[in-house]
Amino acid sequence: AQSVAQPEDQVNVAEGNPLTVKCTYSVSGNPYLFWYVQYPNRGLQFLLKYITGDNLVKGSYGFEAEFNKSQTSFHLKKPSALVSDSALYFCAVRGSNSGYALNFGKGTSLLVTP
Amino acid sequence: DVKVTQSSRYLVKRTGEKVFLECVQDMDHENMFWYRQDPGLGLRLIYFSYDVKMKEKGDIPEGYSVSREKKERFSLILESASTNQTSMYLCASSSYLGAASRDNQPQHFGDGTRLSIL
């Protein structure tokens, strides 16, 4: 079985400060990890993915994520937050021994204040 | 740019009705998915399809069926709508690059259909 946990329902950060949105996972086999963002009344947009290789993955809009195998984590980061980053963020995982489907976390609401 | 189009943004139906949600993608993707999104529960997979006329149950298929007669179109059917099916429904598609990559390609989502069952 595979699962994803996003331990924080909401993250608040001031504009210009670094942000972190946390994600931990459990899979069978090697993990394939994804981050998506959802703006109000829109579908999910792909930000970045980790399949193999470098543990630090860079994605869209200045976001990056660090894969940590020993801690089974894949935290999303950005060095300097923007008000426009305020949105709902989803972590998703699929194990190499699993089928086609991704498992999504419950989402973390990010609020960046001016 | 990939475009996934869901036929309705908002839909209101009555209990017991048969409801059709349509999804079309324009990138010749092999894989298509239907999710429902509820506050505090995230996204839950209802059904997915990896080829025309092929379908697989997801985590919550009860009360739903799907149809994929053409590669670009994936329909979700609520056989007899109930109030607990009031939700946001999201369709997604992804490409398949062969067994070595499995489903490592990102999924592209439509803007969703907010369905209310009265």
Side-chain angles (χ1 to χ4, degrees), chain B residues 34-63:
Chain B
W34 274 107
Y35 297 89
R36 64 177 282 176
Q37 181 181 10
D38 300 288
L41 297 178
L43 273 71
R44 292 179 292 167
L45 181 66
I46 305 172
Y47 269 97
F48 65 100
S49 168
Y50 52 89
D51 202 351
V52 175
K53 296 191 185 296
M54 305 301 289
K55 61 185 179 184
E56 294 274 348
K57 292 180 180 179
D59 298 320
I60 51 164
E62 296 78 19

Side-chain angles (χ1 to χ4, degrees), chain B residues 46-82:
Chain B
I46 305 172
Y47 269 97
F48 65 100
S49 168
Y50 52 89
D51 202 351
V52 175
K53 296 191 185 296
M54 305 301 289
K55 61 185 179 184
E56 294 274 348
K57 292 180 180 179
D59 298 320
I60 51 164
E62 296 78 19
Y64 303 94
S65 63
V66 290
S67 172
R68 192 160 181 208
E69 297 295 320
K70 293 185 178 181
K71 191 174 185 180
E72 68 271 18
R73 185 180 297 270
F74 192 35
S75 303
L76 179 70
I77 304 155
L78 285 66
E79 297 292 343
S80 177
S82 64

